[in-house]
Structure formats: structure tokens, C-alpha cells
Amino acid sequence: MPTASDAAPPLLSALSGRRPATLPVWFMRQAGRSLPEYRAARKGVGMLESCLMPELAAEITLQPVRRHRVDAAIFFSDIMVPLKLAGVGVEIVPDVGPVVAEPARTASDIDRLTRLEPGDTTPITAAIELVTDELATVGSVEASWTPLIGFAGAPFTLAAYLVEGRPSRDHLAARALMHADPDSWRRLMAWCATISGHFLATQVDAGASAVQLFDSWAGSLTRADYAAHVAPHSRAALAAVEGRVPRIHFGTGTGHLLEEFAVGADAVGVDYRTPLDEAAARLPGVPLQGNLDPALLAAGDAALFAHLDDVLARGRSAPGHVVNLGHGVPPTTDPDVLTRLVERIHRAHAS
Amino acid sequence: MPTASDAAPPLLSALSGRRPATLPVWFMRQAGRSLPEYRAARKGVGMLESCLMPELAAEITLQPVRRHRVDAAIFFSDIMVPLKLAGVGVEIVPDVGPVVAEPARTASDIDRLTRLEPGDTTPITAAIELVTDELATVGSVEASWTPLIGFAGAPFTLAAYLVEGRPSRDHLAARALMHADPDSWRRLMAWCATISGHFLATQVDAGASAVQLFDSWAGSLTRADYAAHVAPHSRAALAAVEGRVPRIHFGTGTGHLLEEFAVGADAVGVDYRTPLDEAAARLPGVPLQGNLDPALLAAGDAALFAHLDDVLARGRSAPGHVVNLGHGVPPTTDPDVLTRLVERIHRAHAS
């Protein structure tokens, strides 16, 4: 009989549709500005630069595991990192977000862009090896080690930044291009899928035990446009690690796209707006991740824990449930709230 | 037998669930930056100031009716105008949006705020009288005059700005307050509903023939939160003009809230993400407004008109259909595209 510590970590059990004794939890953006140790580590270092410094990226990835005892590390990276590695001129401007030096608006812009190859991923591999070395010794009641989740932005999100040149609310230029010049759009998206898939595969090659493909902006699309002009490319990116590790697919404001998100993925992350029991009814057999409302993190423990109980109860409808937020940790979050939340989730019965 | 010109304008027929011979169309944000005559008229005049200069506000309201021959004017105003009239310190900062000098974050902030009374609406009344004087003589094939639609921001949108102090993506502070201190939240929302309802009633008193309540930010809410903490207040605002004129209720990203939006309203504006036939199936008997994707305005006439045909076909499922965008006119829109769109919609058969 194996000892408890030889079993699969709860995250991987839940992602394969089982109900481990302990409910697994991690938080999107857990490695980030809510932690004082993160702010100290990042002092004076630009966002994209920090992602490419292996020791720093590893340290930041590990901070929330050490502090909160979450059931997974999420690799500290940025949606724009694979673009930067490919040679795209991009920087993260404080209070603005990603800014692309030369937005790709025309067929010839896209021709030029899509000739770029995925760049040298040595710093990513090095960081992941440092992370997984430490995680091999960080266990829980059920397993002797903690998994690392790899991360990439989905092709539409990359394309939206490349076309718009900066964050936008409705991605009008990107969505207009999709209809005005579907061939160029397809070339752009196919390239983004290659870049995104390559970035996921790099992380799995280096030791990541799961991946999450995150589509920040897909919520701006109609379901018809998503299905016709976006989904095939997200599936191509996910296919880059098919059969190797569980693949979580997540987007915000994508309640109307859930069924599409489930195709080609092993689990679906659910935005806080869609109750998990509704999501489970729409996605039979699909493990779900989510979906605490980040706003509740600042509403006091009584309101937060009542909300948690509701989310956990609804999550029982899914074959596996990875507890998470329905969006990233707000930078202003008191980290002690997250630690208490993890403790409470670990004390809850998984089924 | 009445002549055609004595009949109700197509907008009002469609809003009462009939199918006029000509499909009515107007565009959210039709009075705005897409028009060169608007940019000329606004030169050197701040946004909120321009809303309170009766001749200027009337001129701007009328510009798109003259240019595009749309079937309704929408009163040129801003969501923040009723707050400014009540004495709240607010300004529209270019490239930022509305900024509130003293955000209302605590129970005592809210006490202070909610002692304010709706302010002097003389400039609103004066502007509307100028507008309706001209619209009385602007007719179509079916009617000898053109209706004016009054406009107000919904209580949640006002409250989100008041709590956050500026535009935000997820309205975390407002939504945290809702759960952390439901009593203060209720007082804040009740006050916002009074302000919003008063602003709608002012416009109807002065001659508006319909109103639209616009909830910019309700899409950030779960359906449960919307139903419990927001809907009663939006209904209170709409009740201020109940039985007097048709009331359109619209929000962006609110596909998951459509049924809630229909209660207490006479018609529902549908975001471009929800196909109109789906909306009609979910809201039997409810006239619908919408829902062209604004991104298509920049995609060329072929793609735009194919999209229009699809929207019109789906709109036939609704008892009445007011053609509009599923969000506001983007500032970069070529106004000639809008004019051609109106012509094409007017040539389409209404049923």
C-alpha cells in the first residue's frame, strides 16, 4: 500500500476528474503585487526583465507556495514574454500595460511579424528547473511534492495586443481586422498559436505538471466569432502539450463561450460570473477551476467565507474542482486573507 | 383616415412591440466624436460643461439626426451630469474618464453624499425644449416628427464611479462594499436611483418621448448580486417615468442578466455578444434594441452589410426591433458608414 505521500498531488487528481481528500487551491496572480516579498524582489526591475531572470522568476513563483501553502505554483511570467522572446518590440508600461512598438494592422505588417521564430527560451527552462527543484520537497498531507503550472496567453489575447498596440476595452481594431481581412487574421492567429503552444511546451519540457492557457480578451467576442476565428487557434496552442499534462483553459467574461473553451482542454477555468453548478451542467464530465469573486477578498472574512461555502457547494457538481478565484488576485489584497482562505479550503471536505 | 405623417414614429411603434413599415434605427453615442461637426462644436469646451450649455447640448443632440436621418435623437448628456448637478465634485479627465474628487468609501462618506438633493435642472429642460422644437418638424415617411430619447446612467454605474472614484475594470471596491456593508450600499444605491430617476423624469417633463437607462458596469456583477443588490434600484429609477414613455434598459456585457434587465422596463437593449434571436427566446414579448457589433463599422461595407442582414433576420424573432449598435459608436468611426447603414436599414423590410 503506498503511503499518502506517494499519491498524486490534489491538483492533478482534481484536474483528472477525481475528488482528492483535500480540495486543491491556487490563485491566479498569486505570485504578484499582493505580496510584500514580491514587491521587494521586483524593486527596480522591469516586469518583462524580471520574467527573464531565472533566479528572480523562480523566487517569485515560489513565494506564494511558501506563504500560503497553495497546492500549485503558477509560473511567474507575462502574456507578452513569448512575444518578446520572438523579437517583438514590447514593453510593460506602468499604469498602462503592454505596449507594442509597431502594431500589426495590415497584411504586410502581419507578413513581417509572422516571419519571426519563437526565440531562445533558455531563461524559462532555467527558472522552471529551479522552481521544480524546490517544489519536489514541498508536500501536503496527500503528496510529497507540489506541481508547477505552466502558463501562456491565448492566441486571441496575443493578437489583440499585437493589433491594438496596447490594452483596449473592446479590441475593435483586432475584431475589425478579423472580418475585413480574414486571411491575414488567420495567418496572425496561426503564428500566435505557434508562439503560445511553443511557450507551453517549453514549460512542460522543463518540468511543469499542468498548463493554463489564459484568454484575457476572448470575452469581447461573440460566440460565432470565437468559434470561427479564434477557437481553432487556441486548440492548436493547447494541442502542443496534448497527452503530456492536464490543460486548463480560462478566460474572463467568457460565460457565453464556456462550451467552446472546453473543446481541446482537460479542464475549464470559470469566471466568477458563472455559478459552478451552471458551468458543470453545461460541461458534463469536465473538471472545473474557480470561481471565487475577487471582490469578496476585501469584504471581510464573514462575507468571504459565506461566499466560499457557496462556491464549494456548487463545485460539488463538477467531477473535479480546483478552487481558485474567478479572476486574478487584486494587487491591493491583504495576503493574510489568502492564507486564511487556503486553510479553510483545506479543512473543507472535498466531497 | 389619418395620413401617414400622423402615425406614430417608427421608434415608438417598435418600442411598443409593433412592426412599423420602416425599421427604426439610432446609434448609441451617435452624438459624439465620430462627427466632425461635433468635434468643432466641442472645441475648447469641457465635456460636463458642454452638457450644461443648452444651445450647445441641443445642437450636438441634433447633429446626427440631420446628418444620418436616424429615427431618434438621444439627448446629449453624460452619466455624471446628474451627479454634478447634485453637487458632487466630478470632472471628465481626457484619456481617463470620470474622476470623482472625494470617492464614497465609508458609511460616513455615504451619509454625507446621500444628503445631497438633485440639483437645478434648468439647463437640461432648456436644451430639451430646443431639441424637441426642431424635431417636431423632422419627419420620415411614416411620421411628421422625430422622437427624442432621454438618457441616464443606472444606479450601479453611478455608484461604481462614486465608490471607485474613476473608471475601473472590475469595480472591486464597489462590489466589496456591497458585501461588506450592505446597509450603506443600499443607502448609496437608493440615492443613486433617486438621482437617476429624477434625471429621467426631468427629460420626460421637458419633452423626451422615450428614455434609456444605461448600466455601463453591471456586466461585472454575478446574476445573484445583480438581483439582490442592484436590480431593485434600477427598477426604482425606471419607475420614475413608468406609464409615461417607453423605457429602454441597456447594459454591456450583461448577457447573463438579460431576464433581470427586462423587469420594470418596456424594451431591452442587447449587447452585441448575445444574438437577438437568443435574446428574444429568453425575453418573450419584449421589444429589443440592438445589436450590431461596433467592430464591424470598420470592417468594410461587405462585411458590415452581411452582419446587418444577420442582425435584422435574428431581430425578426422579437415583437419589436429598434436597430442600434450593441455598444456605442467608436470615436474613430467614419460617419459616412453610419449614414449608409441608416439608408440600408430603412430600405430593409421591417417584417
Side-chain angles (χ1 to χ4, degrees):
Chain A
M1 200 176 105
T3 63
S5 65
D6 294 326
L11 177 91
L12 299 179
S13 297
L15 287 178
S16 55
R18 292 193 298 273
R19 291 237 149 227
T22 309
L23 267 173
V25 54
W26 67 280
F27 302 114
M28 290 184 279
R29 243 192 278 158
Q30 63 188 16
R33 281 187 284 163
S34 66
L35 299 185
E37 59 268 35
Y38 170 86
R39 298 193 296 269
R42 271 286 312 281
K43 197 158 267 178
V45 188
M47 179 65 196
L48 294 180
E49 290 67 33
S50 68
C51 295
L52 298 175
M53 295 167 67
E55 265 130 46
L56 182 56
E59 167 65 20
I60 292 173
T61 300
L62 290 162
Q63 284 172 347
V65 181
R66 296 180 194 137
R67 180 190 268 261
H68 301 311
R69 318 287 301 167
V70 282
D71 296 280
I74 176 83
F75 185 54
F76 176 70
S77 189
D78 185 273
I79 282 172
M80 306 311 276
V81 164
L83 296 179
K84 186 179 170 72
L85 291 175
V88 176
V90 56
E91 55 178 329
I92 311 291
V93 177
D95 298 325
V96 175
V99 174
V100 175
E102 296 175 22
R105 295 278 171 87
T106 65
S108 67
D109 294 341
I110 291 171
D111 281 340
R112 200 166 45 239
L113 176 73
T114 57
R115 278 197 291 268
L116 297 174
E117 301 285 337
D120 172 20
T121 51
T122 309
I124 307 303
T125 301
I128 287 185
E129 287 171 357
L130 292 171
V131 169
T132 51
D133 276 356
E134 179 163 332
L135 291 180
T137 66
V138 180
S140 65
V141 177
E142 290 182 59
S144 60
W145 61 284
T146 298
L148 170 69
I149 303 174
F151 163 84
F156 177 70
T157 291
L158 299 185
Y161 281 118
L162 289 167
V163 175
E164 305 284 345
R166 53 177 51 226
S168 71
R169 189 174 171 203
D170 296 314
H171 322 299
L172 292 166
R175 297 193 301 105
L177 177 67
M178 176 189 291
H179 291 279
D181 184 354
D183 283 340
S184 295
W185 176 258
R186 199 174 305 121
R187 271 183 303 132
L188 174 62
M189 288 292 282
W191 182 81
C192 290
T194 301
I195 293 293
S196 184
H198 184 267
F199 197 64
L200 293 176
T202 296
Q203 295 170 76
V204 174
D205 290 343
S209 298
V211 294
Q212 171 155 305
L213 188 71
F214 175 41
D215 214 339
S216 310
W217 302 133
S220 70
L221 295 160
T222 62
R223 185 163 172 177
D225 281 348
Y226 184 81
H229 301 290
V230 172
H233 306 286
S234 291
R235 287 166 200 159
L238 288 164
V241 295
E242 186 173 4
R244 300 185 62 193
V245 297
R247 300 160 300 170
I248 308 163
H249 195 187
F250 174 69
T252 50
T254 50
H256 59 304
L257 307 175
L258 276 188
E259 290 83 357
E260 292 289 340
F261 265 64
V263 178
D266 301 295
V268 170
V270 183
D271 175 87
Y272 68 88
R273 293 170 186 83
T274 306
L276 285 182
D277 51 339
E278 282 184 35
R282 287 169 58 189
L283 304 178
V286 178
L288 299 181
Q289 176 178 281
N291 72 347
L292 294 159
D293 183 345
L296 272 292
L297 296 173
D301 281 7
L304 174 61
F305 292 158
H307 175 56
L308 171 65
D309 291 346
D310 182 61
V311 167
L312 296 186
R314 294 177 191 273
R316 288 196 190 97
S317 312
H321 179 200
V322 175
V323 185
N324 203 320
L325 301 172
H327 201 163
V329 174
T332 53
T333 302
D334 172 0
D336 291 345
V337 171
L338 297 177
T339 304
R340 290 199 295 277
L341 198 51
V342 171
E343 286 167 4
R344 198 174 165 100
I345 291 162
H346 283 163
R347 281 200 309 270
H349 289 289
S351 50
Chain B
M1 199 177 106
T3 62
S5 66
D6 293 328
L11 177 91
L12 300 179
S13 297
L15 288 178
S16 55
R18 292 192 299 273
R19 292 237 150 225
T22 309
L23 267 174
V25 54
W26 67 281
F27 302 114
M28 291 184 279
R29 243 192 281 157
Q30 64 189 14
R33 281 187 284 164
S34 66
L35 300 185
E37 58 268 37
Y38 170 85
R39 297 192 296 268
R42 270 287 311 282
K43 197 157 268 178
V45 187
M47 179 64 196
L48 294 179
E49 292 65 34
S50 67
C51 295
L52 298 175
M53 295 166 68
E55 267 131 46
L56 183 56
E59 167 65 20
I60 291 173
T61 301
L62 291 162
Q63 285 172 347
V65 180
R66 296 181 194 134
R67 181 191 267 261
H68 301 311
R69 318 285 301 165
V70 281
D71 296 280
I74 175 82
F75 184 54
F76 177 70
S77 189
D78 185 272
I79 281 172
M80 306 311 276
V81 164
L83 296 179
K84 186 179 170 74
L85 291 175
V88 176
V90 56
E91 56 178 330
I92 311 289
V93 177
D95 298 324
V96 175
V99 174
V100 176
E102 296 175 21
R105 296 277 172 88
T106 65
S108 68
D109 293 342
I110 290 170
D111 282 339
R112 200 166 47 240
L113 176 73
T114 57
R115 278 196 290 269
L116 296 174
E117 301 284 337
D120 172 20
T121 51
T122 309
I124 306 302
T125 301
I128 287 184
E129 287 170 356
L130 291 171
V131 169
T132 51
D133 276 356
E134 179 164 332
L135 290 181
T137 66
V138 180
S140 64
V141 177
E142 291 182 57
S144 61
W145 60 286
T146 298
L148 170 69
I149 303 174
F151 163 84
F156 177 70
T157 291
L158 299 184
Y161 280 117
L162 289 166
V163 175
E164 305 284 345
R166 53 176 52 225
S168 70
R169 188 175 171 200
D170 296 313
H171 323 298
L172 292 166
R175 297 193 301 106
L177 177 68
M178 175 188 293
H179 292 280
D181 184 355
D183 284 340
S184 294
W185 176 257
R186 198 174 305 120
R187 273 184 300 134
L188 174 62
M189 287 292 283
W191 182 80
C192 289
T194 302
I195 293 293
S196 184
H198 184 266
F199 196 63
L200 292 177
T202 296
Q203 294 171 75
V204 173
D205 291 343
S209 298
V211 295
Q212 172 155 305
L213 188 71
F214 175 41
D215 215 337
S216 310
W217 302 133
S220 70
L221 295 160
T222 63
R223 186 163 172 178
D225 281 347
Y226 184 82
H229 301 291
V230 172
H233 306 287
S234 291
R235 286 166 200 159
L238 288 164
V241 294
E242 185 173 4
R244 300 184 62 193
V245 297
R247 300 160 300 171
I248 308 162
H249 195 187
F250 174 69
T252 49
T254 50
H256 58 305
L257 307 175
L258 275 187
E259 290 82 357
E260 293 289 339
F261 265 63
V263 178
D266 301 294
V268 170
V270 182
D271 175 87
Y272 68 87
R273 293 171 188 84
T274 306
L276 285 181
D277 51 339
E278 281 184 35
R282 287 170 57 189
L283 305 177
V286 178
L288 299 181
Q289 176 177 280
N291 71 347
L292 294 159
D293 183 345
L296 272 291
L297 296 173
D301 281 8
L304 174 61
F305 292 160
H307 175 56
L308 171 65
D309 291 346
D310 182 61
V311 167
L312 297 186
R314 294 178 191 272
R316 289 197 190 96
S317 312
H321 180 199
V322 175
V323 185
N324 204 319
L325 300 172
H327 201 165
V329 174
T332 52
T333 302
D334 172 0
D336 290 345
V337 171
L338 296 177
T339 304
R340 290 199 296 276
L341 198 52
V342 171
E343 285 167 3
R344 197 173 166 101
I345 291 162
H346 283 164
R347 281 200 309 270
H349 289 289
S351 51

